[in-house]
Amino acid sequence: MAYEQPVIDVPALTALLDGKYAEVRNLVRKNLAEYSSILEEAETLTRDDFRDRVRDVIVEMAATGQTGRGFPTEYGGGGDIGASVAAFETLAFGDLSVLVKVGVQFGLFGGAVLQLGTKQHHDAYLEDLVTGKLMGCFAMTETGHGSNVQALGTVATYDAATQEFVVNTPDDASRKDYIGNAARHAEMAVVFAQLEIGGKSEGVHAFMVPLRRKGKPLPGVRIEDCGAKMGLDGVDNGRIWFENVRIPRTALLNQFADVTPAGVYESAIDNPDRRFFTMLGTLVQGRVCVGGAGISAAKVALTIATRYAVRRRQFNATSDQQEELLLDYGMHQRRLLPLVARTYALHFAQDVVAGQLHDVFSGIKDDERTRRALESRAAGTKVLGTWHATDAIQECREACGGAGYLSANRFDALKADTDVFTTFEGDNHVLLQLVAKGLLTDYSSEFSDLDQFGMVKFVAGLAVETVLERTSAHKLLERIKDVLPGGDEWDQEAGLLDPEYQLAMLEFREEHILGGVARRLKRGIDNDMNPGEVFSRVQDHVIAAARAHVERLVLAAITERHRAMPDGDNKVAIGLMSDLYALSTIEKDRAWFMEHGRLTSARSKQISREVSDLCRKVRPIAVDLVDAWGVPEEMLRSEELLTWGG
Ligand SMILES: Cc1cc2nc3c(=O)[nH]c(=O)nc-3n(C[C@H](O)[C@H](O)[C@H](O)COP(=O)(O)OP(=O)(O)OC[C@H]3O[C@@H](n4cnc5c(N)ncnc54)[C@H](O)[C@@H]3O)c2cc1C
């Protein structure tokens, strides 16, 4: 059948993308437009004034109900976790200091009180926290330890005589560092510290510690500003030291463990590692939110660059009357349109993980295995979403030439402010190792608390076949055998635009890399190597396995959504996005596919031709596709860049 150019119904596509949270997303869009002057203020106010302005904006936004969607209704919240993620994703269209301050106050600080605390803490803090009257911070990271949270140095020692904990920073490596809200605004902190009772350490726990009263640090609390940063100037990141700060016994956030007045430690979870990871697991929402925010920031950049590319002309190419529009150049299409497709694919993958988060934390589907799978998926989507933001924003900046460099055109702030998304809420490389661990151990709760050594020994102790059997990779392998009966021969015949073929290719890659990891781990242990050394040598392979897994999940998400759409032009458009994401992903890794006998050179060239064809098909609808994301006009700024007709 001949290809017919689809005509996009933009509002209908926006409705599809906004999904069931259209109402809250529109509330946030309205608020963003109302406070749009913040984008200029980020450039014109002094750092301190801008920080105060950001604080005021989030308190005012809180009054609209926008930021409290995830809290229980009895404390003034909206009681809907999915809605709170949707609100956060949409807020990321705007100034990202506002976003990160909201994340710190309501997501990290509020989330910790809600998830790690019990009714006494909820009653004491949530209502004021939800309105922004009580500002707080989440003090986990220390100068000495970021990713390895179990090794934190801050200590909270129980004093049974006074029924208090005494919080101390033993050395400078144990000072809290980079803590959002700490340098200027927070009155309280959720502090993560080693709990010690009678000389015995019970591991890291969270405590409510007052920091300031009437703007002044309390006795025993020392706070310093982290100083100038690459971006996020409206967020007051600081360092904190504690010296003999006494807090009552009830300041321990005691959802998972408690200390009796006499000083007896109690917890329903016996294994300390398991307890710790269960605690951390309840904070997964932050990761889901940051991944979604990265995707939104990429949408802003791509909207500006795509719209510019249909106005800006440079060089005569097809006519001597008029210079060519940038987006009519094949290279420009190649640069921008696969990124638009990837953004669509990630959007749908984000929907999946946000839906799972909602189901687990609303008790709709909540068991240990589902939680582990959610944590892994949240980590994986966060990684791809935030790296995508970094890549897409840079490409879009360059695609706008010199104009892209001017702060008024947004890329300055987008680049500077999103850069750290790849690091906070979990460093991306560290998170991919978490994803790989889930794959290798099949999210088995029994092994969820294994450290790296434990995992290597565990995996190596199994036959490789058993590892594959335990993991979803085995099921994939079976499916691939069915789908690709003749290997290369089948490949040659399969249509490149057949979603089964595309998925089978990504499944093959995932299974193959994962099998390779398991074999290498086993070989290392069989050769009596130290498990840490074995893991270190295999680590690049481990990361590649995790990345391949997540890219496959992303393709599955968009394929699934496309399949479920009613027939029509919007479905054709999403089909183009799905094909372009799939084939440009395969194309990017074509060396690997060729190395592993899954692509002939002829077929590989055919894929490249198809990607270019798809870009040409997407070209006429590119602006509609980016407009459907619904970034408010005020958030694009770029007035000259978007209206200039020369
Ligand atoms: C602007 C900003 C705001 C922040 N806000 C907060 C906040 O409010 N509260 C809070 O508690 N924290 C906050 N953080 C801290 C942040 O969460 C940490 O920086 C982050 O977790 C990474 O820790 P790290 O900086 O110690 O890096 P490290 O863990 O030291 O990592 C450094 C590098 O080493 C690599 N690496 C680490 N371990 C391994 C390994 N096992 N194998 C291979 N490679 C490895 C990593 O990939 C990374 O590239 C913030 C940070 C910034 C910059």
Side-chain angles (χ1 to χ4, degrees), residues 552-569:
R552 198 259 305 165
L553 291 181
V554 173
L555 179 60
I558 187 167
T559 307
E560 201 50 41
R561 285 297 284 271
H562 172 247
R563 199 176 287 146
M565 283 176 78
D567 284 344
D569 282 11

Side-chain angles (χ1 to χ4, degrees), residues 100 104 108 137-149 176-181 190 192 229 231-232 235 237 420 423-431 433 452 535 539 543:
V100 170
V104 167
L108 293 176
C137 53
F138 177 90
M140 181 183 266
T141 307
E142 295 173 357
T143 310
H145 286 100
S147 303
N148 185 6
V149 179
K176 295 293 172 188
D177 212 344
Y178 321 108
I179 309 303
N181 251 355
V190 170
F192 288 79
K229 306 191 290 283
L232 297 174
V235 184
N237 294 91
V420 75
T423 297
F424 64 25
E425 278 298 333
D427 167 83
N428 281 2
H429 283 103
V430 173
L431 289 182
Q433 294 178 54
Q452 252 170 39
F535 186 80
Q539 212 173 11
I543 298 282

Side-chain angles (χ1 to χ4, degrees), residues 51-325:
R51 288 172 172 187
D52 290 348
R53 172 72 181 137
V54 168
R55 188 240 356 245
D56 294 346
V57 167
I58 75 163
V59 172
E60 287 171 36
M61 281 183 174
T64 69
Q66 170 196 312
T67 54
R69 294 281 164 151
F71 292 97
T73 47
E74 59 266 40
Y75 301 108
D80 187 337
I81 289 151
S84 75
V85 177
F88 194 82
E89 287 166 7
T90 314
L91 192 63
F93 289 152
D95 175 79
L96 296 166
S97 288
V98 171
L99 177 92
V100 170
K101 188 108 171 162
V102 162
V104 167
Q105 166 71 13
F106 305 102
L108 293 176
F109 175 57
V113 174
L114 180 65
Q115 298 295 340
L116 303 180
T118 51
K119 189 166 187 308
Q120 50 169 334
H121 306 108
H122 300 166
D123 289 348
Y125 304 116
L126 283 186
E127 210 172 308
D128 283 349
L129 189 161
V130 168
T131 58
K133 188 172 161 210
L134 172 67
M135 296 295 275
C137 53
F138 177 90
M140 181 183 266
T141 307
E142 295 173 357
T143 310
H145 286 100
S147 303
N148 185 6
V149 179
Q150 272 181 300
L152 294 179
T154 306
V155 184
T157 311
Y158 187 63
D159 178 353
T162 59
Q163 295 186 23
E164 288 172 318
F165 292 103
V166 189
V167 184
N168 271 297
T169 303
D171 48 42
D172 272 352
S174 307
R175 69 183 183 194
K176 295 293 172 188
D177 212 344
Y178 321 108
I179 309 303
N181 251 355
R184 200 165 168 87
H185 294 136
E187 286 173 24
M188 283 236 51
V190 170
V191 174
F192 288 79
Q194 303 286 350
L195 166 57
E196 268 190 27
I197 307 173
K200 179 171 181 249
S201 177
E202 300 290 353
V204 172
H205 291 69
F207 303 83
M208 297 298 292
V209 184
L211 292 183
R212 284 192 178 83
R213 196 168 304 127
K214 296 193 176 134
K216 295 264 174 296
L218 290 163
V221 177
R222 179 153 71 94
I223 301 177
E224 269 179 18
D225 198 305
C226 285
K229 306 191 290 283
M230 248 169 98
L232 297 174
D233 277 346
V235 184
D236 48 326
N237 294 91
R239 303 188 171 121
I240 316 171
W241 291 255
F242 301 100
E243 193 183 345
N244 291 324
V245 173
R246 288 187 164 265
I247 51 173
R249 186 183 64 88
T250 51
L252 170 67
L253 293 175
N254 60 345
Q255 179 64 244
F256 297 103
D258 210 347
V259 177
T260 67
V264 178
Y265 181 78
E266 292 176 339
S267 173
I269 309 173
D270 288 338
N271 181 323
D273 286 337
R274 183 129 176 250
R275 186 186 313 128
F276 175 73
F277 286 113
T278 305
M279 262 168 53
L280 283 196
T282 62
L283 306 175
V284 65
Q285 183 168 347
R287 238 163 238 174
V288 174
C289 283
V290 170
I295 299 165
S296 295
K299 288 176 182 173
V300 178
L302 282 161
T303 303
I304 299 168
T306 306
R307 289 224 214 145
Y308 184 60
V310 297
R311 307 189 79 86
R312 173 76 173 174
R313 294 179 181 276
Q314 203 68 224
F315 292 107
N316 292 88
T318 53
S319 143
D320 51 16
Q321 307 298 312
Q322 207 175 23
E323 289 179 291
E324 198 84 341
L325 285 172

Side-chain angles (χ1 to χ4, degrees), residues 462-609:
L462 300 170
V464 170
E465 291 66 33
T466 329
V467 172
L468 292 180
E469 217 163 276
R470 290 186 67 89
T471 64
S472 46
H474 179 68
K475 286 166 235 150
L476 298 179
L477 184 63
E478 287 305 306
R479 227 183 307 148
I480 290 161
K481 278 192 197 141
D482 295 343
V483 177
L484 301 178
D488 248 9
E489 272 170 47
W490 185 90
D491 283 0
Q492 304 309 310
E493 287 161 25
L496 291 180
L497 303 183
D498 177 352
E500 292 298 328
Y501 165 76
Q502 297 164 354
L503 272 169
M505 288 291 276
L506 296 201
E507 284 166 355
F508 171 80
R509 183 179 60 162
E510 174 183 351
E511 181 278 330
H512 201 287
I513 302 179
L514 196 60
V517 170
R519 273 184 208 96
R520 287 182 65 192
L521 290 178
K522 180 158 179 58
R523 205 180 313 134
I525 296 292
D526 287 350
N527 290 338
D528 279 340
M529 267 169 72
N530 172 303
E533 176 69 18
V534 176
F535 186 80
S536 178
R537 289 195 184 186
V538 180
Q539 212 173 11
D540 58 326
H541 216 146
V542 166
I543 298 282
R547 207 170 171 153
H549 170 69
V550 190
E551 284 193 333
R552 198 259 305 165
L553 291 181
V554 173
L555 179 60
I558 187 167
T559 307
E560 201 50 41
R561 285 297 284 271
H562 172 247
R563 199 176 287 146
M565 283 176 78
D567 284 344
D569 282 11
N570 280 5
K571 182 172 186 165
V572 174
I574 296 301
L576 290 171
M577 293 289 91
S578 183
D579 287 335
L580 187 49
Y581 168 67
L583 294 186
S584 55
T585 302
I586 296 170
E587 186 191 37
K588 217 189 292 174
D589 214 8
R590 62 181 180 258
W592 187 93
F593 284 103
M594 288 173 78
E595 264 177 17
H596 294 84
R598 193 42 71 192
L599 269 187
T600 58
S601 52
R603 184 79 166 169
S604 170
K605 287 179 189 162
Q606 208 185 332
I607 287 180
S608 289
R609 274 196 300 276

